[in-house]
Amino acid sequence: MTSEEIKSNVEKALDEIRPFLQSDGGDISLISIDNNSSVKVKLEGNCIGCSVNQMTLKSGVEMTIKKYAPQIEEVINVG
């Protein structure tokens, strides 16, 4: 998979996740993809101070991104 395909697939994953975050007053932005294996995102809005945002990041965001782009090894919140 090319870098562009990976980025496109990560964006598709975020588009799938975004409505759930927005329903709680939050959002997520893609910051970067490093070495085609590490995704940096920024949680926004109510997600910033949410006590379960690490759980959301790992179980929701990372799992969905890996479904679309299996070569992604980690998802990091840089917010």
Side-chain angles (χ1 to χ4, degrees), residues 30-77:
L30 176 62
I31 303 301
S32 65
I33 301 172
D34 301 326
N35 301 319
N36 291 334
S37 65
S38 177
V39 174
K40 290 183 181 163
V41 296
K42 183 176 181 186
L43 291 170
E44 301 169 350
N46 285 344
C47 293
I48 294 171
C50 178
S51 61
V52 294
N53 71 12
Q54 282 306 313
M55 187 181 76
T56 299
L57 191 69
K58 288 293 174 194
S59 64
V61 176
E62 190 170 285
M63 187 177 73
T64 305
I65 287 174
K66 286 179 177 181
K67 180 174 77 176
Y68 282 87
Q71 63 273 60
I72 298 300
E73 296 171 9
E74 65 178 346
V75 177
I76 302 164
N77 177 29

